[in-house]
Amino acid sequence: MKLEREQIDRYFDDGFVIVEGLLSREDVQAARDDVAAIVDELARRLHAAGRIADLYLDHGFDTRLAAIEAECPGAAIWVTHRGDLRPGLRQLWTSPKLLDIVEALIGPDIAGHPIWNIRSKTPRTTLMTVPWHQDTAYLQAGAERTEQPVAWIPLTDVTRHNGALQMIRGGHKAGAAIRHRLQRKVDDPRSSFLYIDESDLPPGDVVTCEVEFGSVIFLNQLIPHRSLENHSDAVRWSIDFRWQNPHLPTGQEGIVDPIVMRVDGRPDFEPDWAGWLAAYGKQHDTYRGKSQVDEFDPAYEGDWLKRWE
């Protein structure tokens, strides 16, 4: 699918664009299977550690992590902090359907930015309710000058009821990082989120992005956005990937380079996953950090906190 001129203009003017029906279930299935396997690993680790009494094997993709979180509050964040980039996730990240759209936004040289996430929004879990922020705030200063489009890929239908994203339309146009604060200092000491105080938010309409499975939201890394709380009984799953020109600042200098995915618009280019993943292990430990308690504790100490201390 190629973006229409009107869609490209909307991305740059509004700071985001929703591309409906971009991905099929087949396109996403391997990534969903990877996520399910990561949840299974979490369940077995928690069970072996005596933190949960049941593996919840009778639950499916939409509810298993919710059952685990209900018995062991805070455990769900492990799925995100794990940073386990399995083959199905790598396949989705390099999908030609996604890269063709990214090429329309940044040009024919494309690299995957080393920061990506699996998002698990378990029901009625305030720790998973992401406050107003810009993605660039989690990077080193200077990255805001590089166009870094983000693809927010839901693994289920997303509504206001189960945790939709909200955007401030046009809130990226100042071209700068807004002052962020550490949520753990004012709200939940377990939180690793940054947030923008309401008084510092730019003007603009707040848009609630309700999307069906298969649609993808592409957003600029400078647009202020947040996610609502999940009031349903199922997990609202999503994955976010980001890209940029490999020759421009990443905000991760000195940690790991982005992984080149397309050169001169060549769809047959093969990323060097083996070489990149070897460096990614170091990046994971440096950037995402680790808890000072144990691997299941949600209070992580990572590099992204240092910029706003």
Side-chain angles (χ1 to χ4, degrees):
M1 176 186 288
K2 297 290 186 181
L3 284 185
E4 301 291 337
R5 181 72 249 176
E6 183 269 337
Q7 292 175 299
I8 296 173
D9 290 344
R10 195 182 312 156
Y11 169 84
F12 286 105
D13 290 343
D14 293 349
F16 70 98
V17 63
I18 299 172
V19 182
E20 297 179 350
L22 177 63
L23 300 174
S24 67
R25 184 163 293 278
E26 182 180 32
D27 293 328
V28 178
Q29 189 58 51
R32 278 174 58 101
D33 291 344
D34 281 351
V35 172
I38 292 168
V39 173
D40 184 68
E41 180 184 346
L42 170 62
R44 295 181 188 280
R45 283 174 176 262
L46 286 167
H47 190 266
R51 303 286 287 272
I52 58 175
D54 191 328
L55 289 174
Y56 298 104
L57 294 173
D58 56 332
H59 285 260
F61 181 80
D62 294 329
T63 61
R64 191 177 184 190
L65 187 63
I68 293 169
E69 174 70 20
E71 184 176 352
C72 185
I77 197 68
W78 185 91
V79 176
T80 298
H81 282 301
R82 180 76 169 166
D84 192 350
L85 189 59
R86 300 190 181 198
L89 291 160
R90 299 199 296 267
Q91 176 184 317
L92 181 58
W93 197 359
T94 54
S95 165
K97 292 182 179 180
L98 296 176
L99 294 184
D100 285 349
I101 287 178
V102 173
E103 184 171 334
L105 301 177
I106 67 171
D109 294 334
I110 301 172
H113 192 278
I115 303 306
W116 67 279
N117 292 289
I118 300 170
R119 304 286 186 186
S120 61
K121 183 177 285 292
T122 47
R124 293 167 290 280
T125 306
T126 56
L127 186 62
M128 308 301 288
T129 303
V130 184
W132 287 114
H133 69 285
Q134 298 167 298
D135 286 343
T136 198
Y138 286 85
L139 303 176
Q140 298 166 4
E144 59 270 16
R145 295 191 293 272
T146 301
E147 191 70 38
Q148 295 174 327
V150 180
W152 193 85
I153 305 166
L155 302 184
T156 184
D157 291 348
V158 177
T159 66
R160 178 186 292 272
H161 181 66
N162 72 350
L165 289 190
Q166 289 187 322
M167 311 278 184
I168 297 183
R169 193 195 306 274
H172 65 302
K173 289 188 175 179
I178 300 168
R179 178 190 177 189
H180 283 65
R181 309 170 196 231
L182 278 63
Q183 192 178 47
R184 65 176 50 176
K185 288 192 172 182
V186 299
D187 189 4
D188 190 333
R190 302 171 301 161
S191 174
S192 298
F193 291 132
L194 303 174
Y195 76 97
I196 303 171
D197 190 79
E198 294 277 348
S199 63
D200 293 324
L201 288 172
D205 296 333
V206 174
V207 181
T208 301
C209 300
E210 296 186 299
V211 292
E212 295 182 350
F213 173 81
S215 297
V216 178
I217 305 174
F218 289 87
L219 58 146
N220 180 282
Q221 83 272 18
L222 285 170
I223 188 166
H225 60 287
R226 68 178 178 183
S227 68
L228 301 174
E229 189 169 349
N230 181 0
H231 295 287
S232 75
D233 293 324
V235 183
R236 191 230 67 192
W237 286 106
S238 64
I239 299 169
D240 54 80
F241 297 122
R242 62 210 70 221
W243 300 266
Q244 66 167 74
N245 184 303
H247 309 297
L248 297 178
T250 65
Q252 289 283 280
E253 280 70 28
I255 302 177
V256 70
D257 293 329
I259 177 166
V260 178
M261 294 181 173
R262 188 172 281 188
V263 175
D264 294 331
R266 286 171 40 207
D268 60 341
F269 183 85
E270 292 291 336
D272 178 16
W273 284 114
W276 186 81
L277 285 169
Y280 174 74
K282 175 188 174 185
Q283 180 268 343
H284 178 274
D285 289 343
T286 302
Y287 174 77
R288 291 182 185 270
K290 295 182 178 179
S291 168
Q292 302 302 306
V293 180
D294 61 35
E295 66 171 316
F296 307 119
D297 180 62
Y300 276 61
E301 298 291 341
D303 265 12
W304 73 91
L305 300 173
K306 296 177 182 177
R307 179 177 178 183
W308 305 101
E309 286 283 5

